[in-house]
Amino acid sequence: VPKTFAPKDTEGEQLAGLKESLGDDVFGAIAKTTGLDKRPSSLSRDGANVAQQRRVKTFDIDATVVSNDEFKKFVRATKHETEAEKFRWSFVLEMLASNATINQSDSKHGLGRVQSSPHWLGVYGATWRKPEGPDSSIRGKGNYPVIQVSWNDAVAYCAWAGKRLPSELEWETAARGGLEDEPFPWGDRDD
């Protein structure tokens, strides 16, 4: 991976290129939801370190993520209470939340938004059973990926299932699908 994978975008070239490739309508919708247009250097502030060449030992990983139905079996068998259930709230992506949930979160009695990422709302009652807030449900979504599950919840699930979470290196290797020496998981094109 090139060492210039995520250079600083002091002139806003990455943002301009993204806007050009997506078109004004799509970029505008994304920018409005995420605030991307107000943070021109956000494309290079992803927390990535300088790229390194590393080897990974052979590992097993499930072909799919854990579904709501699979997580429900775990909860029924162990009586596990997720951290979102214990804390009685979690974060919800604004574009998934109902207007009522957004209004409640934004009210003076609500939890509000993450200041640096305002598209994330603090939502009372958001749990794996009600992933978009108290007025949502997983009914009819048994094969959807379970969400509102913390790292600790995932570790507990893995222990029950006789599995383990992948390391960051294993996860990135699996996500790349065997592709090597390219700056992006899909190859070398940035569009």
Side-chain angles (χ1 to χ4, degrees):
V1 177
K3 291 185 183 207
T4 59
F5 172 64
K8 289 192 175 173
D9 189 25
T10 55
E11 303 297 319
E13 294 170 5
Q14 291 175 344
L15 193 62
L18 182 63
K19 186 174 184 179
E20 182 179 329
S21 66
L22 293 175
D24 288 338
D25 291 343
V26 173
F27 180 83
I30 293 170
K32 181 179 180 187
T33 302
T34 64
L36 182 64
D37 57 339
K38 294 173 181 59
R39 297 171 300 175
S41 61
S42 65
L43 293 176
S44 60
R45 288 190 290 136
D46 63 357
N49 292 323
V50 175
Q52 302 174 8
Q53 292 287 335
R54 297 183 57 197
R55 294 199 183 274
V56 61
K57 293 179 183 177
T58 301
F59 63 96
D60 290 326
I61 191 168
D62 288 353
T64 62
V65 296
V66 177
S67 70
N68 286 318
D69 283 345
E70 292 168 320
F71 197 77
K72 185 187 295 184
K73 290 176 191 172
F74 157 66
V75 169
R76 285 184 175 163
T78 65
K79 309 294 185 236
H80 180 81
E81 184 180 29
T82 65
E83 290 188 327
E85 290 168 319
K86 289 176 190 171
F87 301 144
R88 300 189 350 240
W89 75 275
S90 190
F91 290 108
V92 174
L93 188 61
E94 179 181 28
M95 66 189 298
L96 300 177
S98 69
N99 286 336
T101 296
I102 293 168
N103 291 337
Q104 193 284 326
S105 181
D106 287 343
S107 76
K108 69 178 182 175
H109 300 292
L111 294 170
R113 298 169 181 261
V114 177
Q115 186 175 6
S116 61
S117 299
H119 52 283
W120 284 107
L121 310 169
V123 175
Y124 289 116
T127 68
W128 74 273
R129 288 182 175 97
K130 297 178 176 288
E132 293 95 27
D135 58 353
S136 67
S137 169
I138 59 169
R139 186 169 289 129
K141 298 178 181 177
N143 63 340
Y144 283 41
V146 66
I147 59 174
Q148 304 302 0
V149 173
S150 72
W151 183 86
N152 291 323
D153 299 327
V155 168
Y157 173 86
C158 288
W160 172 79
K163 301 177 182 190
R164 68 174 177 83
L165 291 175
S167 69
E168 183 178 2
L169 180 59
E170 290 168 337
W171 177 256
E172 288 188 13
T173 300
R176 295 178 77 76
L179 186 65
E180 295 180 12
D181 298 323
E182 296 291 353
F184 305 105
W186 56 86
D188 64 354
R189 294 182 54 187
D190 65 356
D191 58 348

